[in-house]
Each structure stands twice: as structure tokens, then as C-alpha cells.
Amino acid sequence: MSNLELNVPREQTILALRRYLGLQEERAERYYREFAQEEQSE
């Protein structure tokens, strides 16, 4: 189950991406937007 399905706040998801994947803030936000679009189109 994804964070979007679990209604995890956007900010919390971005922080997790930064922490666990070592992404810079801009890249984590871009990754989140791309993933969120994929989830919504399914």
C-alpha cells in the first residue's frame, strides 16, 4: 500500500524520500509529484 493510499501527508513522504534515498529536497518533490501522478491515473 502506498503513502498516497494511506493518506500520509505530502511533507512526511518527502522527508522520508530525502532520509531513506538521500535525495535533495527538489529531487524528492519531483519524485513525489511523478509518483502521485502515476497513482492517480491507475
Side-chain angles (χ1 to χ4, degrees):
M1 197 169 259
S2 75
N3 283 350
L4 292 172
E5 293 172 322
L6 295 171
N7 294 316
V8 174
R10 177 182 179 274
E11 297 79 17
Q12 185 176 347
T13 301
I14 289 173
L15 284 174
L17 287 169
R18 293 183 70 196
R19 185 179 316 125
Y20 295 115
L21 300 180
L23 301 176
Q24 296 294 324
E25 184 173 0
E26 182 179 306
R27 180 65 183 128
E29 289 183 17
R30 191 174 337 141
Y31 186 92
Y32 178 86
R33 285 192 305 269
E34 290 171 9
F35 182 74
Q37 267 186 333
E38 284 181 18
E39 285 287 309
Q40 291 174 358
S41 67
E42 291 182 357

